[in-house]
Amino acid sequence: MTRRPREQRSAARDTRRASLRVLLDRAQRRGYLTAAEAVLLRDHVEAEVAECDRYRAEAGGQQAAVRREQQRTRAAESAIREGEQQVGAVRALLPAEPRPRLGLPNDLAYANGLHDAYDAVRDALDQH
């Protein structure tokens, strides 16, 4: 059974950190490390620093992506507000009184088709 790369990195990190603790305990108890232990300590510390740098770079990229998405969200919200204001402005221009219902069509009822246009605009706005 093969392990996934993430699990492998995690296991390697846990092993490395356990070894670091052992080396640090030895250095503290004895006051020195053998040459082989010093090399191992350096290798472990370098690996930890490299991993930390990689994660820091990834986090920086993720933070930049979040900032870009926040800007896009703010721009979208602004466009929505602007659209809502425009819809409100159009509604304010429409006459409040309904189409006159006078029975037979006449000039007052249709006023050159304006009431039809008003109704069409109202219907379009109500659908959104």
Side-chain angles (χ1 to χ4, degrees), residues 20-57:
L20 273 169
R21 288 184 184 96
V22 168
L23 290 170
L24 292 173
D25 286 343
R26 284 182 188 168
Q28 186 176 16
R29 262 194 326 260
R30 293 189 302 202
Y32 66 91
L33 293 174
T34 66
E37 290 172 335
V39 168
L40 185 58
L41 178 63
R42 173 172 286 286
D43 289 345
H44 288 334
V45 169
E46 292 294 334
E48 286 291 321
V49 168
E51 189 173 293
C52 181
D53 290 345
R54 186 178 51 129
Y55 288 140
R56 185 174 288 120

Side-chain angles (χ1 to χ4, degrees), residues 1 16 34 43 48 54 61 65-66 77 87 102 111 114-115 120:
M1 177 171 120
R16 186 175 59 239
T34 66
D43 289 345
E48 286 291 321
R54 186 178 51 129
V66 167
E77 289 171 345
V87 167
L102 302 175
L114 285 178
H115 285 288

Side-chain angles (χ1 to χ4, degrees), residues 98-110 115-116:
R99 170 195 294 252
R101 303 286 182 207
L102 302 175
L104 295 175
N106 59 39
D107 287 343
L108 179 62
Y110 289 99
H115 285 288
D116 290 334

Side-chain angles (χ1 to χ4, degrees), residues 14 19 23 35-36 38 49 52 54 59-61 63 66-67 70 72 88 91 96 99 107-108 112 115 120-121 125 128:
D14 291 344
S19 179
L23 290 170
V49 168
C52 181
R54 186 178 51 129
Q63 288 172 351
V66 167
R67 282 191 297 274
Q70 287 172 336
R72 288 180 59 185
R91 284 189 190 278
R99 170 195 294 252
D107 287 343
L108 179 62
N112 294 326
H115 285 288
V121 170
L125 292 177
H128 292 53

